Amino acid sequence: AQSVSQHNHHVILSEAASLELGCNYSYGGTVNLFWYVQYPGQHLQLLLKYFSGDPLVKGIKGFEAEFIKSKFSFNLRKPSVQWSDTAEYFCASIRGNNRKLIWGLGTSLAVNP
Amino acid sequence: EAGVAQSPRYKIIEKRQSVAFWCNPISGHATLYWYQQILGQGPKLLIQFQNNGVVDDSQLPKDRFSAERLKGVDSTLKIQPAKLEDSAVYLCASSLGTQNSPLHFGNGTRLTVT
């Protein structure tokens, strides 16, 4: 069955530290990948998405993610985090023509000022 | 553009009572989703509509949960009777329904069953 794994459940960083959140998917065919963010008390928002083309995807608020097909990975990165990046981050995938979005369990990020 | 609208924002009920949630998707979005998000977990798809037809309701507990999207626009999700384990945030999302279209989420309804 298709699955999405997020390795870090809780991450605590200081401001200006670099961030990398891991995401691995299980399906080897055509896959669409997403990172969503949920700030405290707010709804889920799309950070970035990958469908095809350049495997390095730029998103909002300085986030980027790299699709590495050989590693089945789509890790989220930000070179310098801010306190306002404190949120829950979810990786998700859609396989080929299957429109069902498969979610990771999420990573809770806390950034200390 | 206006986002996905959901109401109410919060609801507290006792177990065995019934409750209904409402969702109005972004105008023109053919696909509508209802998700259940339990604290500390990722969203779990309950039901997916394409226009007014059900595409996927495989994870909907049909003995107590029901959903409809009669005119292919707004949708309601009902729980009857509620159980303690139904306490969660219920998220509505919509998308254009094309292969590359992302999901847009509403603010959700936080349900507490006591």
Side-chain angles (χ1 to χ4, degrees), chain A residues 4 12 15-16 18 21-22 24 28 47 51 53 63 66 72-74 77 82-85 90 99 104 109:
Chain A
V4 173
I12 301 173
E15 276 195 317
S18 63
L21 301 182
N24 285 90
L47 263 182
F51 294 120
F63 285 91
E66 185 174 11
F72 297 88
S73 70
F74 190 57
R77 299 194 294 249
Q82 300 172 317
W83 176 78
S84 58
D85 294 323
F90 292 95
R99 295 303 301 161
L109 172 66

Side-chain angles (χ1 to χ4, degrees), chain B residues 46-103:
Chain B
L46 293 175
I47 189 167
Q48 176 183 340
F49 291 95
Q50 182 74 15
N51 296 309
N52 61 349
V54 175
V55 173
D56 185 348
D57 63 355
S58 57
Q59 297 192 95
L60 186 73
K62 298 181 186 61
D63 58 333
R64 299 185 299 106
F65 286 65
S66 65
E68 58 184 17
R69 194 186 184 197
L70 293 176
K71 297 182 180 178
V73 181
D74 56 349
S75 174
T76 56
L77 175 70
K78 296 179 182 177
I79 307 175
Q80 181 180 9
K83 293 185 176 182
L84 294 175
E85 59 261 35
D86 298 332
S87 294
V89 175
Y90 290 85
L91 297 165
C92 180
S94 70
S95 75
L96 286 169
T98 57
Q99 185 157 358
N100 292 347
S101 55
L103 275 63

Side-chain angles (χ1 to χ4, degrees), chain A residues 32 34 36 38 41-44 46 49 51 90 96-97 99-101 103-105, chain B residues 9 35 37 40-43 56 58-59 91 98-103 105-107:
Chain A
N32 301 147
F34 307 82
Y36 280 84
Q38 189 169 26
Q42 296 187 28
H43 58 272
L44 281 158
L46 181 67
K49 60 186 186 288
F51 294 120
F90 292 95
N97 291 324
R99 295 303 301 161
K100 190 170 182 177
L101 197 62
W103 295 84
L105 290 179
Chain B
R9 285 297 305 275
Y35 285 89
Q37 187 176 13
Q41 299 181 19
D56 185 348
S58 57
Q59 297 192 95
L91 297 165
T98 57
Q99 185 157 358
N100 292 347
S101 55
L103 275 63
F105 286 85
N107 283 326

